[in-house]
Structures are given as C-alpha cells and as structure tokens.
Amino acid sequence: FHPAWYLDPSQRPAVLFDLEPALTRFAARFPETEWSAQRMSLQSAQIEAALALLPPETVQRVSRALRASRAISLQPSAAPDSKMVVLAAMEFESAAAALDYLDAARALADLKAEHMQSGPLRILASERSELARPDLSGFLARIRMRNGAFEFEMKTLDAARGSVVVETVFSAEPIEDAALAALGSELLDAVARLADAPAPR
C-alpha cells in the first residue's frame, strides 16, 4: 500500500507499540473450545473502507495518521452466525491523531444511525455515553438492531490512551457497561511499548 516505504525505508513510520498482547488478553475471555478466532492486520485501505460514510478529507487524514493495526474476531464454533465479538487495536502517529480517530468514530456512529433505519439489517435505537475515566478517553455505544426477524443488542467501545486506540464490538454477546469500560482499560494496559522504541519526547 506504500511502495515509497520500500524505496526509502526512512519514510516508514516507526511503530512504537506491540499491539498483539491486547488481542491475546481479549481472546482469553473466550474459551478456545467454544470460540473460533481469526487474527488479521488491517491496512489503511481497509480503515478507509470502514470510514467511507465520512467526508473524504476526514478519511484520508485518519488513514495517513495510522501506524499499525491488528484485529481479532471471534464467533461461537457451534453457531457462528449467532454472535460475534471483535477487537481492533490501532497505533496512530500521535495522541492527537488517536483522539481525532475517536471523533471520526463518533461521527460515523451518528451517520450509521441515520442510514440504517430501514432495510433487512437496521438500527432500531442507539445511545452513546462518554467514558468518565482518568486512564483513557472514549465512549461506549449501545445499539439495538434487527436482522430480518432477529433482534439483538450490540455494544461497542472506543478508547484511547496516548497514541493507541482499542475498539471493541460485542454483537449479541452480553456484557455490562461497567465491565466493557474496564475491559478497555485492561486492553490498553496490555499494549506493550517495544524495547527498541525511542522514548517519548
């Protein structure tokens, strides 16, 4: 996606954090005997596609600021269509860029609520609350959805600490608001600064 980085490696943004431990911490909540997991790296093009409802200048700004992203999705092995949980962990070029992503995620949630009021998969109701925690910034959303005749609740969390963002989705998998907020803090705690990363200025 960035050929210039290979022609001139000095242009490649330095990755300061290992995001993988956050994925491992998240997956530990779901027994391997009952859940199937898939890990992946998210490229800038995939982030841009996920934000496609936003203005192009916002999408490009967020995409340019992304240094690294890892994600894991889990579904019950016995009934994979019944529910899903997802975590994306992202490192941005700065703390300001991470907060910019949170603003973009808020705007995207509002647009989805407007665009998904009809059709087979639609949003019936949604509400958002800001997280009042000293150790992170972000928000939690509760969304009531319908897919055909099936109604279910989805909860999402977007939380940032410094230049790192964790974003979770619990679709038809129950979790209390307080537990989800605490999970965001746990996942950010799990992100490890690389030993050879330069010290913050």
Side-chain angles (χ1 to χ4, degrees), residues 133-162:
R133 296 179 64 99
D135 58 336
L136 54 81
S137 301
F139 63 93
L140 186 152
R142 294 168 289 280
I143 307 165
R144 193 71 192 168
M145 302 192 70
R146 175 175 290 163
N147 188 0
F150 178 55
E151 281 192 28
F152 62 98
E153 184 177 64
M154 182 167 67
K155 285 189 178 180
T156 67
L157 173 80
D158 287 76
R161 183 188 296 159

Side-chain angles (χ1 to χ4, degrees), residues 99-182:
L99 294 178
D100 187 40
Y101 178 83
L102 291 187
D103 287 339
R106 290 183 183 94
L108 181 63
D110 292 340
L111 287 171
K112 285 183 176 180
E114 293 176 14
H115 283 73
M116 296 179 66
Q117 294 186 6
S118 60
L121 178 63
R122 60 186 183 273
I123 293 175
L124 303 177
S126 64
E127 59 178 329
R128 182 170 67 234
S129 57
E130 296 296 317
L131 296 174
R133 296 179 64 99
D135 58 336
L136 54 81
S137 301
F139 63 93
L140 186 152
R142 294 168 289 280
I143 307 165
R144 193 71 192 168
M145 302 192 70
R146 175 175 290 163
N147 188 0
F150 178 55
E151 281 192 28
F152 62 98
E153 184 177 64
M154 182 167 67
K155 285 189 178 180
T156 67
L157 173 80
D158 287 76
R161 183 188 296 159
S163 60
V164 176
V165 172
V166 292
E167 188 171 66
T168 67
V169 177
F170 281 68
S171 180
E173 171 67 9
I175 185 170
E176 295 295 327
D177 290 1
L180 184 52

Side-chain angles (χ1 to χ4, degrees), residues 14-25 67-68 70 87 89-92 161 163-166 184-198 200:
V15 175
L16 305 181
F17 295 94
D18 181 5
L19 304 174
E20 206 66 28
L23 273 62
T24 300
R25 175 78 64 89
R67 276 186 172 148
R70 288 284 289 159
L87 166 67
M90 295 167 277
E91 179 187 343
F92 289 90
R161 183 188 296 159
S163 60
V164 176
V165 172
V166 292
S185 183
E186 290 176 21
L187 296 172
L188 288 166
D189 287 344
V191 172
R193 190 172 187 88
L194 295 171
D196 57 351

